[in-house]
Amino acid sequence: MNDSNRKPSLLVEIALWCAASVVMIGAAVMGLHLFMHTDVPAPAADLGYALVATMLTLTWGSWAALIWSKRRVARTLMGLSVVVPGLVMAVFGFWAFAHMPELIKVWRPGLLVVGVHGVGAALFSAVMLGQPAMRGARHDEALDRALRARELAAGWLLYPLLTFGCGAAIAMSVMGWSSLGTISETLTSPARWIAAAMALSVYTTVIPASAAILCRRVARAVRAS
């Protein structure tokens, strides 16, 4: 087997995975900061928004890495990481619904909504991971350098454009509606609880997973003769 047919090193795969995660999270946080404020001192509210942006885009690096990854160990770790947000939402939502003190004035069924959406997000991630375009095929070992280059380009160039572009479009489309009420209204309105749970699912699974599927298919659309 020549060099062009070898799988990349596991350490290289993991290093690319970590780099992709840093790039995705960094771009999200910087983009949000530039949009919210241009002054250098970051208020506490900005830090809170940055934390939310970090959590929402935490798995985007894993979805990007799944485009080019060939090593089974690395792909397994990436696959587990992209299911985590849904499981966290589910566990937190169901636990809080059962144990949240009644003294806290929230719309308690909203916690159940979060739990249900979390289950849906985890299942969606698992289904996407099972798609042929995301699975590591046996013939991957025989793929050439050109396909490898296309996959890397799709993961580092096309994928960020799709994810951040779609994410920004959705966020801008609902920003006016979501900013109408006060914090108390947000916590007590069923519609806002449902919208928030859906947003968590969309941003952590639907957008990055769909972009990853599309990018991998684009990279493999033109095969070397």
Side-chain angles (χ1 to χ4, degrees):
M1 183 180 294
N2 56 38
D3 292 339
S4 64
N5 293 334
R6 291 178 182 171
K7 287 185 178 180
S9 166
L10 178 61
L11 294 179
V12 172
E13 295 264 309
I14 294 178
L16 283 172
W17 175 22
C18 294
S21 299
V22 171
V23 169
M24 295 294 171
I25 294 174
V29 173
M30 289 300 298
L32 180 62
H33 178 69
L34 292 175
F35 177 80
M36 297 296 296
H37 295 284
T38 57
D39 51 341
V40 177
D46 281 5
L47 296 178
Y49 293 141
L51 179 61
V52 172
T54 299
M55 297 303 296
L56 288 176
T57 56
L58 188 62
T59 63
W60 286 20
S62 297
W63 284 111
L66 282 166
I67 296 172
W68 64 68
S69 178
K70 300 292 190 296
R71 287 287 181 178
R72 180 175 299 178
V73 174
R75 293 183 63 83
T76 300
L77 294 175
M78 296 168 194
L80 291 175
S81 70
V82 300
V83 178
V84 165
L87 296 179
V88 171
M89 286 177 60
V91 172
F92 169 78
F94 293 138
W95 179 88
F97 177 77
H99 298 92
M100 182 71 72
E102 292 290 342
L103 295 177
I104 299 179
K105 295 182 179 180
V106 298
W107 188 63
R108 288 187 70 246
L111 299 171
L112 185 60
V113 170
V114 171
V116 172
H117 276 80
V119 172
L123 291 177
F124 181 87
S125 298
V127 170
M128 290 296 99
L129 289 172
Q131 294 295 316
M134 294 309 311
R135 292 199 304 264
R138 291 183 179 179
H139 60 77
D140 278 352
E141 296 184 10
L143 294 179
D144 58 2
R145 291 178 183 270
L147 177 55
R148 176 69 174 174
R150 290 197 298 270
E151 288 178 340
L152 288 171
W156 283 101
L157 301 176
L158 181 59
Y159 176 85
L161 291 176
L162 290 174
T163 50
F164 286 111
C166 294
I170 293 176
M172 293 299 292
S173 66
V174 300
M175 184 172 295
W177 176 77
S178 63
S179 62
L180 292 177
T182 63
I183 294 179
S184 62
E185 290 175 342
T186 301
L187 294 177
T188 56
S189 171
R192 294 184 186 277
W193 272 94
I194 295 173
M198 291 180 64
L200 287 171
S201 300
V202 169
Y203 273 82
T204 57
T205 58
V206 177
I207 291 177
S210 300
I213 290 285
L214 178 60
C215 287
R216 194 169 178 89
R217 287 180 177 174
V218 169
R220 295 192 174 198
V222 181
R223 294 184 177 276
S225 58

